[in-house]
Amino acid sequence: MTAADLAQSIRRELPFLRRYARALTGSQTAGDNYAAATLEAILSDRSLVQADDTRIGLFRTFHAIWQSSGQPVEQDGQGTQEARAQAHLKSLTPNSREALLLRTIEELRHDQIAEIMQIDQDEAEELVQIALAEMSQALAGKVMVIEDETIIAMDLKGIVQSMGHEVTGIARTHKAAVELAHDRRPDLILADIQLADGSSGIDAVNELMTDMADVPVIFITAFPERLLTGDRPEPAFLISKPYSEEQVRSAVSQAMFFASTEGLTAA
């Protein structure tokens, strides 16, 4: 693989590594720092990435760095959102979140997860199941849905409620989303990008973040490339349409770990 071919191949996969890294750390800054360290390692040793599967090599290199660093969640001090997340994460089985995210968000096979994490395939499968069980019992809170398609909105509502969370309401426009969030402050927001009246779910979320910056957001969209540019603050949690129930469950559980503990209860 020439240097130009390697660069082009990595460029295609990098947005998804960054998505995974941000979901894993709960922070765009921390996630992007890990992604940058991964690129530096590959530039120093091109053999880390093989011509037949750049994606696996990229994620495997990331995991080697992640493991050697002790898997920290970036935290600025006691009482911060990240510090609270770190406290929650310590209760989980080691490596289970990594396996779950690789399976559900990045949609990798168990054998690929095993190669990335340098474990047996049976262990990879077991870690995914452990994570699903542990995180489903973690926290219950209030979830707001911003989605203009009625069938999808009701599907998301059903998934969220089946996990033990309360749905505060469904908003179909930017204006309705802002009003709903201020009427009942959510612990988590599920948002589409394009809304019923031509307004933007991104704009609605950005407006809400001015006074609800600690509320995690999961974007569920048919246009993930619009949020994986690196040119603006990006969500830690991003699911592509069409989605699976497993993906939504995983992302919601992950996001709740990085939510403020205020208002959350044991599920």
Side-chain angles (χ1 to χ4, degrees), residues 25-26 73-92 138-139 185 187 212-216 254-264:
T25 62
V73 172
E74 184 179 82
Q75 47 186 315
D76 300 321
Q78 295 298 319
T80 65
Q81 182 175 333
E82 289 79 11
R84 288 192 294 270
Q86 182 67 69
H88 289 311
L89 294 173
K90 287 180 180 178
S91 67
L92 296 178
L139 298 170
R185 181 186 175 94
D187 299 307
M212 299 183 185
D214 61 337
V215 176
Q254 299 279 340
M256 281 297 186
F257 269 90
F258 295 97
S260 168
T261 56
E262 182 177 357
L264 299 180

Side-chain angles (χ1 to χ4, degrees), residues 23-97:
L24 193 58
T25 62
S27 161
Q28 180 176 347
T29 300
D32 285 353
N33 285 342
Y34 272 101
T38 300
L39 293 180
E40 291 174 4
I42 292 172
L43 288 174
S44 298
D45 183 0
R46 292 187 192 175
S47 68
L48 293 171
V49 175
Q50 303 300 317
D52 59 340
D53 202 332
T54 301
R55 189 180 197 192
I56 296 301
L58 194 62
F59 277 74
R60 185 174 56 234
T61 303
F62 171 93
H63 265 274
I65 296 171
W66 176 247
Q67 291 288 340
S68 66
S69 69
Q71 312 169 3
V73 172
E74 184 179 82
Q75 47 186 315
D76 300 321
Q78 295 298 319
T80 65
Q81 182 175 333
E82 289 79 11
R84 288 192 294 270
Q86 182 67 69
H88 289 311
L89 294 173
K90 287 180 180 178
S91 67
L92 296 178
T93 299
N95 298 321
S96 60
R97 286 183 65 248

Side-chain angles (χ1 to χ4, degrees), residues 151-243:
I151 293 177
I152 294 177
M154 296 307 296
D155 184 49
L156 292 173
K157 179 179 179 180
I159 293 172
V160 169
Q161 289 179 327
S162 71
M163 296 176 67
H165 304 300
E166 175 189 356
V167 175
T168 62
I170 297 171
R172 302 180 68 247
T173 65
H174 177 157
K175 180 180 179 182
V178 172
E179 291 176 350
L180 176 60
H182 285 137
D183 182 53
R184 293 198 66 195
R185 181 186 175 94
D187 299 307
L188 172 66
I189 298 172
L190 291 175
D192 190 10
I193 290 181
Q194 293 186 329
L195 302 180
D197 60 352
S199 60
S200 166
I202 298 174
D203 291 342
V205 168
N206 284 340
E207 181 174 343
L208 291 173
M209 290 302 99
T210 59
D211 59 353
M212 299 183 185
D214 61 337
V215 176
V217 179
I218 300 172
F219 278 101
I220 304 179
T221 174
F223 308 99
E225 65 278 2
R226 297 186 185 180
L227 292 171
L228 293 173
T229 63
D231 295 331
R232 68 176 108 189
E234 297 175 343
F237 305 97
L238 177 62
I239 299 175
S240 301
K241 290 181 178 178
Y243 59 81

